[in-house]
């Protein structure tokens, strides 16, 4: 099998010309989490496109095309900056309000234990056409090699996401927390798993 050449760039360095494509990777990867807002990934991309803070997202490129992404935040840094007016325009009043409230309450608050010096990696996603070709591994290795941090966490990974858990473990992450979910049968998974990594040496 030919190894895929993956180049990782920060979203803001790619610039606004890439914003739409980055957003499409994001909404396709997490579409199941957004079905209450819309089942139409195009409509979700319209609603979400403005809100991604590109400086917090790292994009894996294969032949210049976004093949995957991951976010990195430290302390109280946020990943999204939603505007109610833009969300409502694309999702309507009721679903738009639901979307805005959920994003503000669930996607913008720092996780437990967030602090300066601790990097929280999130929204790790690979486009279906590139799965199994080392995209997520390349992204994570890039993040772990950035200067200034030596401690990292990955929060609330679904226990059914075996490929992701395998990749994280291979890179040295270990499980430090498991959280049971309510209505497991309905949501399709039983636990949310959190993992951490402390690298040798200082920042």
């Amino acid at each position: 099998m030919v190894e895929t050449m993956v180049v990782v760039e920060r979203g803001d360095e790619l610039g606004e010309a890439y914003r739409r494509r980055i957003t499409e990777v994001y909404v396709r990867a997490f579409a199941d989490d957004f079905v209450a807002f819309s089942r139409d990934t195009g409509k979700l991309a319209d609603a979400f496109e403005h809100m991604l803070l590109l400086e917090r997202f790292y994009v894996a490129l294969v032949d210049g095309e976004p093949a995957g992404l991951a976010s990195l935040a430290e302390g109280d840094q946020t990943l999204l900056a939603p505007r109610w007016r833009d969300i409502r325009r694309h999702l309507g009043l009721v679903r738009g309000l639901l979307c805005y409230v959920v994003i503000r309450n669930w996607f913008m608050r720092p996780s437990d234990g967030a602090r300066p010096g601790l990097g929280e990696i999130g929204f790790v996603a690979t486009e279906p056409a590139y799965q199994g070709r080392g995209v997520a591994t390349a992204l994570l290795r890039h993040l772990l090699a950035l200067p200034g941090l030596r401690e990292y966490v990955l929060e609330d990974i679904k226990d059914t996401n075996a490929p992701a858990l395998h990749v994280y473990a291979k890179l040295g992450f270990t499980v430090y927390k498991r959280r049971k979910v309510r209505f497991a049968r309905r949501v399709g998974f039983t636990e949310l798993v959190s993992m951490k990594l402390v690298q040798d040496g200082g920042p």
Side-chain angles (χ1 to χ4, degrees):
M1 180 173 140
V2 178
E3 185 175 342
T4 301
M5 176 64 73
V6 180
V7 176
V8 179
E9 299 280 358
R10 209 170 68 190
D12 60 331
E13 293 170 347
L14 290 171
E16 289 297 320
Y18 273 81
R19 176 177 286 278
R20 177 68 184 199
R21 282 179 284 175
I22 293 169
T23 306
E24 288 171 349
V25 175
Y26 174 83
V27 298
R28 279 195 291 266
F30 301 101
D32 288 348
D33 297 326
F34 303 141
V35 291
F37 314 143
S38 178
R39 294 182 181 275
D40 182 338
T41 55
K43 186 177 289 188
L44 287 169
D46 290 339
F48 285 23
E49 185 175 349
H50 74 278
M51 75 173 77
L52 271 65
L53 296 177
L54 295 183
E55 66 270 25
R56 306 269 190 262
F57 286 85
Y58 290 78
V59 185
L61 301 170
V62 176
D63 297 328
E65 285 300 315
L69 59 79
S71 64
L72 178 64
E74 177 187 359
D76 61 358
Q77 292 176 341
T78 59
L79 305 173
L80 306 171
R83 294 193 297 263
W84 157 238
R85 183 176 58 188
D86 293 306
I87 296 172
R88 181 183 61 191
R89 183 167 75 248
H90 296 293
L91 298 180
L93 179 61
V94 175
R95 291 190 177 188
L97 180 59
L98 174 64
C99 178
Y100 183 77
V101 169
V102 167
I103 288 169
R104 296 283 304 183
N105 290 344
W106 291 98
F107 292 95
M108 294 186 64
R109 61 180 185 181
S111 62
D112 294 341
R115 55 180 168 77
L118 177 67
E120 182 172 347
I121 298 171
F123 296 121
V124 182
T126 303
E127 284 279 73
Y130 297 98
Q131 288 177 357
R133 294 167 62 179
V135 170
T137 299
L139 269 167
L140 289 163
R141 283 181 173 154
H142 181 89
L143 296 183
L144 297 177
L146 292 172
L149 295 171
R150 59 183 292 266
E151 296 182 62
Y152 301 86
V153 292
L154 287 150
E155 295 283 331
D156 292 344
I157 310 149
K158 294 174 184 176
D159 61 356
T160 52
N161 195 349
L165 292 168
H166 174 74
V167 169
Y168 304 150
K170 186 174 68 174
L171 291 170
F173 283 86
T174 56
V175 175
Y176 77 95
K177 182 173 65 177
R178 292 179 180 272
R179 183 159 61 89
K180 295 282 188 184
V181 297
R182 299 175 64 191
F183 312 115
R185 182 174 297 177
R186 188 166 73 190
V187 298
F189 59 96
T190 305
E191 290 182 321
L192 290 168
V193 179
S194 295
M195 306 180 79
K196 66 180 178 180
L197 171 65
V198 181
Q199 298 191 112
D200 293 333

